[in-house]
Amino acid sequence: MTETAPIPTKIRHKLRLRRIEVAQVIPLSETMRRIVFTGDDLHDFVTAGVDDHVKLFFPQPGTSEVILPDLSPEGGSDRSAPRDPRILARDYTPRRFDEERQELIIDFVLHEEGPATQWAAQAKPGQYLGMGGPRASHIAPDTLTHHLLIGDDTALPAIARTLETLPPNHRATVLLDTRETDKTYPLVSHARVEIHRCQTGGSETLPSLLRVVVLPSVKKLNVWIAAEIDVVRALRDYLIAEEAVPRGQIRAAGYWRRDSAAGGERVEG
Ligand SMILES: Cc1cc2nc3c(=O)[nH]c(=O)nc-3n(C[C@H](O)[C@H](O)[C@H](O)COP(=O)(O)OP(=O)(O)OC[C@H]3O[C@@H](n4cnc5c(N)ncnc54)[C@H](O)[C@@H]3O)c2cc1C
């Protein structure tokens, strides 16, 4: 009899577009800005999964005008309507939501260019963004008690959220390729956590680091990967081909694409 991998739970949420206001900007490092958003539209905001994402809609350059997409009468994005090319949207992780204070924290990595980076670098209290989602939340099966979390700077918010929720009887092996300044990003957990980092300034990459890290038995392994899309594909292929990790125990997403704007996508197949 072949064993099947435990099945994750997917919770769907009705799609809502919200207007959120910058309440506070906190520089976490030279390349990471924490932005605290508030606003009445957050009264029914729900983020149930540790790697949930929202779509943020940014203003047209040089203005405060945010163009939002049309929603269908059922509340989904209206796929029949032509997409307005002026819409500037990027995906981000809700790092923390404080229901009582109605405050949403999002951590922005600042890189070379792009509307999200440019906006985050100049963000000030009182400015507004549009936000859609999360559309769905993904909950890993709790029978998987050893977590292999692999990512770059853009994955730090989701990795930090995951670690915070793990109980003491879980273990986590974390592989990070982040810039020097983001080594100070706080990662806190009740679980037993081992962190391995790529050497900065060298040629070490996440795929080469993965090859030398000793992995636990795959039976209870929950793998989560997010980074540049080609890196994610290489990591996932290696785990399936060389470590025999069942596909159903791996959740992998390209969070950005080299030399291409607005490019995240789930890696499957
Ligand atoms: C589900 C999901 C959750 C995400 N969560 C977060 C989050 O919480 N915090 C966060 O900072 N990012 C997060 N990202 C990544 C973020 O959406 C991308 O980095 C996005 O491309 C940034 O938009 P931009 O306008 O700054 O740059 P773009 O206009 O999209 O790109 C401009 C140029 O910058 C390059 N580029 C894009 N991103 C990076 C990068 N990270 N490092 C180096 N070069 C880059 C592109 O290749 C392109 O050449 C997430 C992505 C996904 C899919």
Side-chain angles (χ1 to χ4, degrees):
M1 202 175 75
T2 48
E3 268 191 67
T4 49
I7 301 169
T9 308
K10 189 169 182 179
I11 306 169
R12 290 188 187 280
H13 308 288
K14 188 171 179 202
L15 184 60
R16 271 252 281 134
L17 290 178
R18 296 179 166 85
R19 196 170 122 98
I20 52 174
E21 181 182 350
V22 176
Q24 207 185 347
V25 180
I26 306 165
L28 293 184
S29 71
E30 236 173 83
T31 53
M32 182 83 92
R33 287 277 179 290
R34 168 158 292 178
I35 303 192
V36 184
F37 294 93
T38 186
D40 293 345
D41 277 1
L42 287 170
H43 76 274
D44 59 351
F45 182 78
V46 174
T47 171
V50 287
D51 70 341
D52 278 357
H53 74 275
V54 290
K55 209 162 261 306
L56 295 182
F57 296 91
F58 296 90
Q60 298 299 299
T63 77
S64 57
E65 188 198 4
V66 177
I67 300 170
L68 296 173
D70 293 326
L71 290 189
S72 71
E74 297 77 43
S77 55
D78 190 349
R79 294 184 201 279
S80 63
R83 196 178 188 278
D84 188 328
R86 293 170 305 161
I87 293 174
L88 290 174
R90 300 290 186 269
D91 291 329
Y92 280 84
T93 307
R95 170 67 186 87
R96 188 175 301 133
F97 179 56
D98 184 328
E99 234 177 284
E100 216 165 280
R101 298 165 64 103
Q102 284 189 27
E103 278 183 355
L104 172 65
I105 290 177
I106 297 184
D107 291 340
F108 292 76
V109 176
L110 305 181
H111 50 92
E112 303 294 307
E113 52 172 347
T117 290
Q118 278 165 15
W119 181 86
Q122 64 73 57
K124 289 170 201 63
Q127 294 178 336
Y128 287 90
L129 289 186
M131 179 175 78
R135 298 182 78 134
S137 300
H138 175 279
I139 318 285
D142 57 11
T143 49
L144 301 180
T145 52
H146 196 137
H147 306 264
L148 174 61
L149 311 172
I150 313 179
D152 64 15
D153 321 53
T154 60
L156 282 171
I159 290 177
R161 254 191 97 165
T162 307
L163 292 176
E164 274 171 12
T165 62
L166 295 181
N169 63 335
H170 281 221
R171 289 186 61 188
T173 304
V174 184
L175 272 56
L176 292 176
D177 186 4
T178 61
R179 282 171 273 190
E180 191 64 47
T181 45
D182 291 323
K183 285 187 178 164
T184 52
Y185 192 86
L187 297 171
V188 175
S189 186
H190 294 295
R192 193 139 55 92
V193 180
E194 226 178 72
I195 298 179
H196 302 267
R197 293 178 187 274
C198 291
Q199 288 159 5
T200 38
S203 60
E204 192 170 39
T205 59
L206 286 169
S208 56
L209 182 61
L210 179 61
R211 283 176 186 272
V212 296
V213 168
V214 179
L215 296 179
S217 131
V218 298
K219 217 166 166 207
K220 295 197 169 170
L221 197 59
N222 169 47
V223 181
W224 185 91
I225 312 171
E228 200 281 326
I229 192 154
D230 290 337
V231 174
V232 173
R233 287 206 178 101
L235 293 163
R236 185 175 180 277
D237 291 351
Y238 172 83
L239 286 166
I240 293 169
E242 308 291 330
E243 301 286 345
V245 181
R247 288 164 196 268
Q249 285 170 232
I250 305 177
R251 188 163 157 80
Y255 267 18
W256 58 284
R257 204 181 282 268
R258 194 162 302 286
D259 301 324
S260 164
E265 108 182 32
R266 192 142 302 290
V267 178
E268 278 160 328

